[in-house]
């Protein structure tokens, strides 16, 4: 198992019943790419200037675009050979 540098460790609760703390490495863009996450785009409902829009973000959090409704956002993501995933 790889050792995680101290600056990349953060406590999390693995088991809510036993509240057992453990250490988890923050995932880098390279780590996400290794898991195939580069093929995913996240779609999230947002309100801008009192209007509902749908923000589209890459797996690394980069803003890819906006759409006027969810169906258009999903279609745009699929047009770019990505798999849309809803974020709540």
């Amino acid at each position: 198992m790889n050792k995680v540098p101290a600056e990349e460790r953060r406590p999390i609760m693995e088991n809510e019943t036993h509240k057992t703390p453990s250490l988890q490495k923050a995932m880098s863009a390279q780590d996400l790419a290794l898991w195939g996450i580069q093929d995913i785009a996240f779609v999230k409902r947002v309100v801008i200037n009192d209007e509902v829009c749908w923000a589209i973000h890459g797996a690394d959090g980069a803003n890819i675009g906006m759409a006027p409704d969810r169906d258009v956002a999903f279609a745009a993501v699929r047009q770019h050979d990505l798999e849309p995933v809803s974020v709540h």
Side-chain angles (χ1 to χ4, degrees):
M1 187 155 105
N2 294 336
K3 292 210 175 210
V4 179
E7 63 273 6
E8 294 183 26
R9 285 184 258 170
R10 61 184 173 87
I12 63 165
M13 296 301 174
E14 244 180 39
N15 184 328
E16 287 299 316
T17 306
H18 296 101
K19 303 283 186 196
T20 306
S22 67
L23 297 176
Q24 178 180 1
K25 178 184 174 198
M27 293 188 74
S28 69
Q30 184 179 12
D31 293 335
L32 292 170
L34 290 172
W35 281 19
I37 303 290
Q38 77 274 11
D39 297 327
I40 292 176
F42 296 102
V43 177
K44 180 179 180 180
R45 181 184 181 271
V46 294
V47 178
I48 299 175
N49 296 330
D50 296 327
E51 291 189 37
V52 174
C53 301
W54 295 85
I56 304 167
H57 294 274
D60 63 355
N63 186 5
I64 295 174
M66 299 287 284
D69 64 55
R70 185 177 182 272
D71 291 337
V72 171
F74 270 57
V77 168
R78 288 187 178 117
Q79 270 189 322
H80 289 88
D81 297 322
L82 299 172
E83 185 62 35
V85 177
S86 290
V87 178
H88 301 276

